[in-house]
């Protein structure tokens, strides 16, 4: 009977989750079927917003999914390597390595963006260094204000969110499991692919999801380092401001959410398939 | 039982028949010597116990044999091949780890077949051998369960089956029974003995439990502070401990300090007798079972007078503590049927033959 009474412990978080997530999402879902005409909200149910999204915004939406997927894959891979080093290779440095990852969270979001502007700019750190070394004769202008700049900046920002879940799940792997795998004849690669990755499935999927969602919803980074680049966030945000078209914004959000669910589900499937024995 | 060293069936020399040969093996961690330079020979079909208290270096030694720790000095040779520089994945050894190291994301069947899958055996061969191994380990009915759903004893059997299926030349076991409760431990002891016989391989296991070592192993290496203090069959180690440590670690023993001078030993507790050896401090070791209560007028090689302090009936024997000179105590195991039983406060004469006593240096 004790276990049943323990369920009450999740009540506060369930309440917060319902009030601050489920309820607004439900409101959004309803809102997306309404329409704004001449600054007047009409509650007549319509699919017009969705038609609009698929007719006029699918390119930006697709591009956003591609950038988010690429960033999430790269960051998850990087986070995996980082966690692997902290958990299995440089164990005595694990605390320090994790601290370094966490401390980047203290530096603000905008600070990182400006840091990358300074690094990647025409007269930035990277170009100056390459010029001084004589590798190039004129600055590479395509470094900043490019999709790559957006990906790099977002990777930097989201790396802690990838490292933490993966490291946490790697901590659950006993040393004796890895040693047993070696003992039974597994070299480096088989240990990684048949023991470590399958045992970190949930951490890897969580890392990918975090990064994908952070990138998919971001609209500041493309604005500052992406140049003419537009991501769906840049189009959604104004609907709730200057454009004053909440229903369209809601429809865009719902479609993007659906895309995110599909991509994350596919990624999960991929990891599960990899981990199948 | 006599206390003369039972004849060793094998010479400790560099026998060509030894399957596993350790030569000058040592391991240092900074200033700390986990294993002092040592030699050890293990022969085919041996069931060897490396016995010692925690921190004596026994697990390090096992990990050196398995390839998980590279020795600071010395060589490991298995079946005539120097494997010192070869990693565990390529050594003809397999290990049953203390925590078992089972893969929780695999079923019992997948765990057991893991090594064969890595060897890229055909599906048919893997299936056959896994089925056979599961049958031998009595795990068939659990084959498709997750290992997390098994009891400790069943997990132990999975770990054994997973290692033995690769037919290792030497099977290494790190405290194989430590995690099990007492009753299960006895069952698993029988199981291990049976597997050793059926499999016909060479097993080396590490334990801190002397009872486990005596009941399982045909040879025991007693380790203390990084050294092998004595190595031999169970009888010789029990009957003729080479050092004070071995005497106290295996079985109960009465230890009596003394001094040897010119082949004459004088114990602090009184008795003196002849015993050849170098001059200096010695300890006389006598097992509680070897000590007799002397009747009036009865004599013995070594005699000590004392007062009975405590008498405890233990079913198969009576444990009697006798206080002797210098606040020392001698434990005597008496026949449970002895009559009349000694009573507390009674003055008694204890005695034992020289043959049942062992004198060790210091």
């Amino acid at each position: 009977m004790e276990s049943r009474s323990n369920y009450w412990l999740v009540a506060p978080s369930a309440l917060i989750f319902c009030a601050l997530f489920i309820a607004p999402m439900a409101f959004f879902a309803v809102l997306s079927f309404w329409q704004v005409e001449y600054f007047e909200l009409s509650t007549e149910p319509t699919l017009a917003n969705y038609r609009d999204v698929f007719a006029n915004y699918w390119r930006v939406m697709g591009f956003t999914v591609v950038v988010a997927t690429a960033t999430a894959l790269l960051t998850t891979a990087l986070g995996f390597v980082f966690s692997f080093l902290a958990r299995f290779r440089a164990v005595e440095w694990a605390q320090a390595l994790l601290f370094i990852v966490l401390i980047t969270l203290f530096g603000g979001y905008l600070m990182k963006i400006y840091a990358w502007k300074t690094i990647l700019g025409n007269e930035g750190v990277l170009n100056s260094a390459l010029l001084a070394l004589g590798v190039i004769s004129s600055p590479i202008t395509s470094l900043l204000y490019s999709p790559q700049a957006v990906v790099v900046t977002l990777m930097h920002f989201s790396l802690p969110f990838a490292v933490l879940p993966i490291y946490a799940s790697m901590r659950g792997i006993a040393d004796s499991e890895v040693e047993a795998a070696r003992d039974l004849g597994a070299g480096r690669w088989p240990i990684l692919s048949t023991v470590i990755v399958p045992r970190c499935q949930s951490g890897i999927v969580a890392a990918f999801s975090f990064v994908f969602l952070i990138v998919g919803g971001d609209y500041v980074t493309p604005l500052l380092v992406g140049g003419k680049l537009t991501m769906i966030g840049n189009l959604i945000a104004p609907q709730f401001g200057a454009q004053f078209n909440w229903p369209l914004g809601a429809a865009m959000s719902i479609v993007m959410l659906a895309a995110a669910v599909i991509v994350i589900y596919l990624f999960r499937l991929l990891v599960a398939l990899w981990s199948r024995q | 039982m006599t206390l003369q060293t039972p004849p060793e069936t094998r010479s400790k020399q560099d026998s060509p028949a030894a399957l596993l040969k350790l030569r000058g093996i040592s391991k240092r961690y900074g200033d700390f010597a986990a294993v002092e330079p040592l030699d050890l020979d293990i022969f085919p079909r041996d069931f060897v116990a490396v016995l010692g208290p925690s921190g004596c270096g026994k697990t390090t030694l096992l990990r050196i044999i398995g390839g998980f720790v590279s020795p600071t000095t010395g060589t490991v040779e298995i079946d005539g091949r120097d494997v010192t520089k070869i990693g565990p994945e390529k050594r003809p050894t397999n290990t049953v780890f203390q925590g078992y190291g089972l893969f929780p994301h695999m079923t019992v069947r997948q765990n057991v077949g893991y090594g064969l899958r890595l060897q890229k055996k055909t599906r048919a061969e893997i299936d056959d051998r896994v089925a056979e191994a599961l049958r031998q380990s009595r795990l068939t009915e659990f084959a498709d369960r997750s290992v997390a759903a098994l009891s400790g004893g069943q997990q132990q059997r999975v770990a054994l089956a997973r290692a033995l299926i690769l037919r290792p030349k030497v099977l290494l076991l790190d405290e194989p029974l430590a995690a099990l409760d007492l009753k299960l431990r006895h069952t698993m002891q029988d199981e291990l003995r049976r597997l050793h016989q059926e499999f016909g391989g060479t097993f080396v296991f590490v334990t801190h439990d002397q009872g486990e070592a005596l009941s399982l192993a045909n040879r025991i290496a007693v380790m203390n502070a990084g050294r092998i203090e004595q190595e031999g069959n169970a009888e010789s180690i029990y009957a003729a401990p080479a050092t004070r440590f071995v005497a106290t670690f295996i079985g109960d023993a009465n230890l009596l300090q003394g001094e040897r001078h010119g082949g004459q030993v004088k114990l602090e507790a009184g008795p003196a007798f002849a015993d050849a050896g170098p001059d200096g401090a010695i300890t006389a070791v006598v097992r509680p079972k070897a000590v007799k209560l002397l009747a009036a007028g009865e004599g013995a090689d070594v005699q000590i007078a004392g007062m009975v302090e405590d008498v405890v009936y233990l079913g198969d024997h009576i444990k009697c503590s006798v206080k002797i000179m210098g606040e020392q105590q001698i434990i005597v195991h008496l026949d449970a049927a002895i009559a009349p039983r000694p009573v507390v406060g009674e003055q008694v004469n204890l005695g034992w033959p020289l043959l049942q006593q062992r004198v060790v240096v210091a």
Side-chain angles (χ1 to χ4, degrees), chain B residues 84-351:
Chain B
T84 317
K85 299 261 184 297
I86 293 177
E89 63 273 18
K90 298 223 172 78
R91 277 197 197 191
T93 55
N94 284 112
T95 308
V96 175
F97 293 89
Q98 194 173 3
Y100 310 141
L102 298 180
F103 307 124
H105 58 294
M106 299 181 198
T107 63
V108 170
R109 190 192 299 282
Q110 288 167 340
N111 264 280
V112 174
Y114 184 78
L116 293 178
R117 287 207 303 281
L118 285 173
Q119 291 179 0
K120 303 259 185 292
K121 298 281 188 219
T122 63
R123 184 72 187 265
E125 183 184 351
I126 295 176
D127 288 350
D128 282 359
R129 279 172 70 179
V130 169
E132 171 65 13
L134 290 172
R135 195 191 54 73
Q136 258 187 349
S137 311
R138 296 175 189 149
L139 286 164
T140 310
E141 56 178 310
F142 307 108
D144 295 306
R145 284 206 205 161
S146 148
V147 291
L150 301 183
S151 72
Q154 289 161 349
Q155 291 188 353
Q156 167 80 270
R157 298 217 298 268
V158 177
L160 271 165
R162 187 178 67 173
L164 282 176
I165 199 171
L166 297 179
R167 297 166 187 153
K169 290 198 169 122
V170 183
L171 179 75
L172 307 168
L173 306 109
D174 189 2
E175 296 272 4
L177 309 173
L180 307 175
D181 62 44
L182 193 65
K183 203 175 156 208
L184 205 53
R185 217 175 294 168
H186 289 304
T187 319
M188 278 312 296
Q189 281 185 10
D190 297 339
E191 183 92 7
L192 275 174
R193 252 195 308 267
R194 182 181 66 82
L195 278 172
H196 178 248
Q197 266 166 17
E198 272 180 33
F199 183 72
T202 306
F203 290 14
V204 179
F205 80 109
V206 149
T207 180
H208 63 272
D209 183 331
Q210 47 132 337
E212 215 170 281
L214 290 172
S215 66
L216 284 176
N218 67 329
R219 295 184 73 75
I220 300 175
V222 185
M223 270 190 93
N224 183 34
R227 292 186 168 77
I228 292 183
E229 297 223 341
Q230 190 171 4
E231 194 258 323
N233 57 37
E235 292 86 350
S236 73
I237 285 189
Y238 183 80
T243 66
R244 199 191 149 97
F245 173 82
V246 174
T248 50
F249 202 73
I250 312 239
D252 299 326
N254 292 301
L255 301 178
L256 297 161
Q257 316 267 353
E259 201 63 55
R260 178 158 47 201
H261 202 78
Q264 275 295 314
V265 169
K266 174 111 177 78
L267 297 180
E268 282 170 13
F273 48 85
D275 188 82
D279 291 358
I282 58 95
T283 301
V285 180
V286 58
R287 300 288 178 194
K289 226 186 132 140
V291 184
K292 296 273 172 296
L293 281 183
L294 300 179
E298 195 182 348
D301 294 347
V302 184
Q303 289 187 38
I304 294 184
M307 189 190 77
V308 177
E309 262 193 331
D310 194 20
V311 181
V312 188
Y313 174 73
L314 290 170
D316 57 339
H317 69 273
I318 290 169
K319 184 180 158 198
C320 177
S321 315
V322 177
K323 200 172 109 185
I324 57 166
M325 216 170 79
E327 294 303 306
Q328 287 195 79
Q329 216 184 30
I330 289 186
I331 307 292
V332 188
H333 288 177
L334 299 168
D335 192 335
I338 191 172
R341 262 190 220 177
V343 289
V344 176
E346 188 185 344
Q347 294 290 329
V348 289
N349 263 323
L350 304 175

Side-chain angles (χ1 to χ4, degrees), chain A residues 172 174-188 190-196 198-199 201 275-277, chain B residues 63 66-68 87-90 93-95 97 99-106 110-111 114-115 117-118 162-163 166:
Chain A
D175 287 337
S176 61
E177 285 175 53
V178 178
E179 290 188 337
R182 270 194 87 184
D183 190 63
L184 296 165
R188 282 160 204 272
I191 290 178
L192 206 64
S193 114
T194 64
V195 177
I196 296 178
R199 292 281 278 119
Q201 274 186 72
S275 305
R276 213 178 48 168
Q277 293 302 317
Chain B
R63 291 173 65 82
F68 291 100
E89 63 273 18
K90 298 223 172 78
T93 55
N94 284 112
T95 308
F97 293 89
Y100 310 141
L102 298 180
F103 307 124
H105 58 294
M106 299 181 198
Q110 288 167 340
N111 264 280
Y114 184 78
R117 287 207 303 281
L118 285 173
R162 187 178 67 173
L166 297 179

Side-chain angles (χ1 to χ4, degrees), chain B residues 12-33:
Chain B
K12 248 211 110 191
Q13 257 51 65
D14 212 351
S15 160
L19 177 65
L20 172 71
K21 277 192 234 177
L22 303 184
R23 288 293 172 271
I25 285 291
S26 76
K27 182 66 189 177
R28 301 192 72 84
Y29 294 102
D31 284 341
F32 173 69

Side-chain angles (χ1 to χ4, degrees), chain A residues 2 25 37 62 73 162 166 228:
Chain A
E2 201 181 333
M25 284 309 287
E37 278 161 24
L73 285 175
I166 297 177
K228 276 176 267 168

